[in-house]
Every structure is written in C-alpha cells, then in structure tokens.
C-alpha cells in the first residue's frame, strides 16, 4: 500500500481489520480497506505467503461477502507476492469469479507495472480503473486462449500460421502440419 502512495498510518485512508457495513457477523473483517472520500473503495484480503495458489474457489464466498457488504469497487486478494484484482465487471454488485488483473512480484511484465500504477493514490480514478478492469479482463482471457492455442495447436491453426507467415509455400499435407505443430509446441515458453 505504501508503494502505491497510501498512508498505512492514516486511519482515514487505510483501515486495518475493516468491518463491512452490512456484515452479519462481528468477526467478519477484511484485512484492509482503502478509503476514498470516507468510503471503502479497495478492500485487501491477505493470506499466508505459503498459500501460493490463492484459490478463489476456497475463498470466493468470503471475498463475495466482503465485496457486497462494503460496497467497495475493488478487492485485492494477496499472499504478499501474488496480487489478484477483482471487481464486478460481468454483473453489477456481484464479484466476478475470475480476477481482471494478476500481478506477481517475482514474475511480471513491464506493461503490468503501468496497470498497477493506475491504482496509485495520486492518479487513481475509480471510473477509469473500472473501465480498465473490463478491458483487462477480456485481454487476459484472450491471452489465455492464445497461449493455450500455441501449447496445443489445432491443424487449422497451424495451416493459418503457415499461410500467413509465408514460410511454407507448398501443399500443407498432414505430415507438414504435424511437423509444424511440434515446432509450435516446443517454441512456446512456460510462464
């Protein structure tokens, strides 16, 4: 939070052990809430660093409850190394099942830093961040499809690549397609 410019020692800005407004249990507390204009805007739920999976299926009900009860616009689910950003891009007031952005301190791309910077206190704009969240959600989905397509290319994909790269001008027989399918599979980097 400090890295994003929020003052963790200012209780009007960062509230530890935040109790959501409509919480049904006194013990239901989100680890941190970042307040903007005295309203919870970003909730942060922390798990142990050993929890490297940050399984949304296991913790989804908890996050959903906090999100709904607080009326915050974003939840960050983290183990201190991996940060998963959630919102209600798909349906208003219902926390999405998948994050729109994931930032890993040990493995990130330079363009992800720009996305993270959009959550900095001095530049944060809730409407722009939410619009960006929708875009990021779809970009992330497209990237996953492309990555999976490279890992397990179909014959049609290999034909498409051969046609559009111009590296092979002959007839695309089953043998040629199989050869280039193996080439595609071995050239894909593991994230």
């Amino acid at each position: 939070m400090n890295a994003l410019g929020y003052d963790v020692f200012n209780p009007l800005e960062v509230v530890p052990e935040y109790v959501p407004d409509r919480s049904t249990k006194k013990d239901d507390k989100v680890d941190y809430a970042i307040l903007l204009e005295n309203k919870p805007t970003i909730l942060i739920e922390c798990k142990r660093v050993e929890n490297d999976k940050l399984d949304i299926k296991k913790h989804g009900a908890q996050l959903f409850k906090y999100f709904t009860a607080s009326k915050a616009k974003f939840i960050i689910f983290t183990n201190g190394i991996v940060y998963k950003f959630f919102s209600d891009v798909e349906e208003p007031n219902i926390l999405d099942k998948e994050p729109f952005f994931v930032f890993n301190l040990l493995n990130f791309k330079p363009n992800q830093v720009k996305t993270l910077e959009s959550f900095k206190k001095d530049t944060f704009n809730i409407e722009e961040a939410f619009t960006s969240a929708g875009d990021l959600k779809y970009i992330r989905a497209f990237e996953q499809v492309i990555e999976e397509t490279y890992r397990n290319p179909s014959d049609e994909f290999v034909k498409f690549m051969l046609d559009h790269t111009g590296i092979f001008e002959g007839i695309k027989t089953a043998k040629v397609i199989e050869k280039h399918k193996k080439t595609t599979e071995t050239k894909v980097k593991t994230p």
Side-chain angles (χ1 to χ4, degrees):
M1 288 180 277
N2 276 341
L4 294 176
Y6 297 98
D7 183 356
V8 295
F9 299 108
N10 180 350
L12 300 176
E13 190 168 302
V14 178
V15 180
E17 297 292 312
Y18 180 77
V19 178
D21 295 338
R22 291 184 268 153
S23 179
T24 56
K25 294 181 183 176
K26 190 170 96 173
D27 294 336
D28 284 345
K29 298 175 185 172
V30 65
D31 292 316
Y32 298 96
I34 295 175
L35 307 180
L36 297 173
E37 299 177 9
N38 296 321
K39 296 177 186 171
T41 304
I42 303 171
L43 304 179
I44 303 171
E45 181 62 22
C46 305
K47 298 299 177 193
R48 297 171 60 108
V49 75
E50 293 86 15
N51 189 346
D52 61 345
K53 300 287 185 212
L54 291 174
D55 187 2
I56 190 62
K57 290 179 183 172
K58 183 177 178 183
H59 301 285
Q62 178 187 24
L63 297 177
F64 176 81
K65 182 170 48 175
Y66 293 156
F67 184 80
T68 304
S70 71
K71 298 248 184 204
K73 201 63 187 160
F74 301 97
I75 279 193
I76 301 172
F77 186 41
T78 183
N79 64 3
I81 295 171
V82 176
Y83 294 79
K84 294 184 176 183
F85 290 67
F86 292 85
S87 191
D88 57 347
V89 172
E90 293 176 18
E91 193 172 335
N93 304 316
I94 297 178
L95 189 67
D96 295 339
K97 292 179 180 143
E98 295 294 323
F100 65 85
F101 176 60
V102 177
F103 189 83
N104 184 330
L105 287 173
L106 304 177
N107 182 20
F108 60 88
K109 298 172 187 162
N111 66 326
Q112 290 178 309
V113 173
K114 184 176 180 185
T115 300
L116 189 60
E117 287 177 343
S118 70
F119 283 85
K120 285 174 66 174
K121 177 184 171 183
D122 60 349
T123 58
F124 183 73
N125 178 300
I126 195 165
E127 289 83 18
E128 288 177 15
F130 185 72
T131 299
S132 178
D135 295 343
L136 288 168
K137 186 170 189 74
Y138 295 109
I139 289 169
R140 187 167 185 265
F142 294 162
E143 287 174 342
Q144 289 172 336
V145 167
I146 291 168
E147 185 176 311
E148 181 57 30
T149 301
Y150 270 107
R151 288 187 194 289
N152 300 301
S154 66
D155 291 355
E156 294 77 24
F157 178 73
V158 174
K159 285 180 188 176
F160 173 84
M161 294 301 287
L162 290 172
D163 288 342
H164 287 81
T165 59
I167 59 173
F168 185 85
E169 295 181 12
I171 298 173
K172 284 116 186 130
T173 63
K175 188 175 179 179
V176 168
I177 289 171
E178 193 59 34
K179 174 186 184 281
H180 289 289
K181 189 183 280 192
K182 288 179 182 172
T183 302
T184 302
E185 291 170 351
T186 60
K187 295 299 179 188
V188 175
K189 293 181 183 177
T190 303

